[in-house]
Amino acid sequence: DSGVTQTPKHLITATGQRVTLRCSPRSGDLSVYWYQQSLDQGLQFLIQYYNGEERAKGNILERFSAQQFPDLHSELNLSSLELGDSALYFCASSETGVGYTFGSGTRLTVV
Amino acid sequence: KNQVEQSPQSLIILEGKNCTLQCNYTVSPFSNLRWYKQDTGRGPVSLTIMTFSENTKSNGRYTATLDADTKQSSLHITASQLSDSASYICVVSRGASTDSWGKFQFGAGTQVVVTP
């Protein structure tokens, strides 16, 4: 157990639908990062939050959004889902200067 | 241009053999370099982390080296096992004081397949 918790582990939904992925960072970590990993692809940075505020955006689609709550857990919202959104979505948390700790991911399948 | 380049992209090795993965980076200023192992469908797990002053760090059969002058790192796997089949990702952290995504630069990974 890395200390970073992601739910659900698996999600199957239809095109056009909206889903919410949840991440609880490791205790004490203020930063949460979201990554998308499509089949046989590297990790693609989506967005970062630090202590409740958006800190940086990567290759995140306008259909996707995220937020970090006062208790530091984060949610990634994916809407108007397309087949190409099927991927593993990872959350990572960090303590400044130490590096990432990754969650086990949510596997999203859009059918 | 990616600031962290890994090679080879993939490799196949026989069980019991050794192999070495390479990571070259241009990230500056440098803070630390971490190697991750990612099993298929799982989250990456940290293997080693090295700062500027460290040349070698071991974790069981995994040994990482760092040459901060040439900005090169390697990950050596000794006596490979079937369970070593995974993607190995090099991540380099900037020495900046702000905690931003640009602080962590990811390599594309090396896919290792260990065959019986």
Side-chain angles (χ1 to χ4, degrees), chain A residues 11 13-21 63-67 75-81 108:
Chain A
L11 197 52
T13 189
T15 55
Q17 296 299 305
R18 171 189 170 94
V19 297
T20 297
L21 313 183
R63 300 184 285 109
F64 297 179
S65 65
Q67 55 184 327
E75 293 182 353
L76 179 66
N77 301 297
L78 314 176
S79 61
S80 303
L81 285 168
L108 173 66

Side-chain angles (χ1 to χ4, degrees), chain A residues 30-31 33 35 37 42-43 45 48 50 55-58 88 90 94-105 107, chain B residues 31-32 34 36 38 40-46 49 87 89 91 93 96-104 106-108:
Chain A
L30 299 180
S31 278
Y33 305 76
Y35 284 83
Q37 188 175 41
L43 291 160
F45 170 73
Q48 178 209 356
Y50 179 80
R55 182 60 65 94
K57 269 187 175 181
L88 275 166
F90 288 106
S94 78
E95 179 184 345
T96 301
V98 175
Y100 288 123
T101 300
F102 283 88
S104 57
R107 180 177 293 280
Chain B
S31 176
N32 60 71
R34 187 174 286 218
Y36 286 86
Q38 184 179 22
T40 301
R42 307 292 295 273
V45 175
S46 179
I49 181 170
S87 178
I89 304 168
V91 183
S93 298
S97 59
T98 56
D99 185 28
S100 67
W101 83 272
K103 182 181 178 75
F104 299 102
F106 282 68

